[in-house]
Amino acid sequence: MENNKKIGRIAGVFLFLMMAAGLPGVMYRGLGSSMLENQDLLKFIVDSSGEMRLSIFLSVSAGIMGTIFSVIVYKVLKQHSTITATLFLGLWLIQVAISLVGDVSHYVMLETAQYLNDTNQSTQDFLPFAALGIKGYIGSHFLGLLFFSGSFVLIHSQFLRFELLPKWISIWGMLATGTVFTVTWLQIFDQDVSFYFYQQNGIFMLSFTAFMLIKGFSNTETENS
């Protein structure tokens, strides 16, 4: 059997890189529905273009790091269950694809804003493009969160099942990401939820990443199916 402790630490490195790129990527995004009420929206977008382009770069980078993490986890889970490993990888790739749609929507909006600004168009001409870009990003963000949290609930249930991680962190992982999955559905159905439900998952992800970097996975007997 391959050394799962070492493989787990490598997975932890890419998980850390994913978070290191993803968190500032969200911070620099600067998008929200309230922006559509801004009378100087076109100028605001152009002035914020540098930060927003950086957020897109960081988001794509986080997607790449996360995909490498998911491939490593796939290799470990495949030792025990090919079906579960394949399902996890599939869910993760769908999440990355959905997130990429949001990044493309944002990028198209930025390029449109730059073009209209260079040709001295009005904010009113830009509003439909801005609405498409902003709403496209927000929609893909929430849909991506569903697949992200769902895939994490799945792998932590399997980490628990195959004793790849201690019970406490596997159970914590299912509860933390399961909460994100639930409240994201509530958000999609226009229900107000506290940001705490997302913050608690951030605490878990930091703890999980630190654990993976230090401990990795446990070496257990394979039981492939």
Side-chain angles (χ1 to χ4, degrees), residues 89-100:
L89 185 60
L91 290 173
W92 189 275
L93 292 178
I94 292 173
Q95 176 263 139
V96 171
I98 291 173
S99 298
L100 187 59

Side-chain angles (χ1 to χ4, degrees), residues 18 21-33 35 41 44-63 95-110 130 132-142:
M18 180 189 77
L23 291 177
V26 172
M27 292 171 56
Y28 286 118
R29 184 70 66 169
L31 292 184
S33 297
M35 293 172 58
L41 180 60
F44 175 79
I45 295 293
V46 172
D47 290 345
S48 305
S49 178
E51 292 87 350
M52 290 184 175
R53 291 175 190 274
L54 176 60
S55 76
I56 294 172
F57 169 77
L58 291 172
S59 177
V60 173
S61 299
Q95 176 263 139
V96 171
I98 291 173
S99 298
L100 187 59
V101 170
D103 291 329
V104 170
S105 296
H106 192 181
Y107 179 71
V108 169
M109 184 188 70
L110 289 177
L132 184 62
I134 292 171
K135 295 298 185 179
Y137 165 74
I138 292 173
S140 67
H141 176 70
F142 283 120

Side-chain angles (χ1 to χ4, degrees), residues 180-198:
V180 170
F181 183 84
T182 302
V183 298
T184 299
W185 271 118
L186 292 175
Q187 292 263 60
I188 289 174
F189 284 98
D190 291 326
Q191 302 299 310
D192 292 328
V193 297
S194 171
F195 188 65
Y196 167 76
F197 293 112
Y198 291 100

Side-chain angles (χ1 to χ4, degrees), residues 102-129:
D103 291 329
V104 170
S105 296
H106 192 181
Y107 179 71
V108 169
M109 184 188 70
L110 289 177
E111 289 297 301
T112 303
Q114 192 65 58
Y115 171 75
L116 294 178
N117 183 68
D118 292 343
T119 54
N120 297 316
Q121 302 293 319
S122 68
T123 298
Q124 203 63 33
D125 296 324
F126 176 59
L127 192 59
F129 297 101

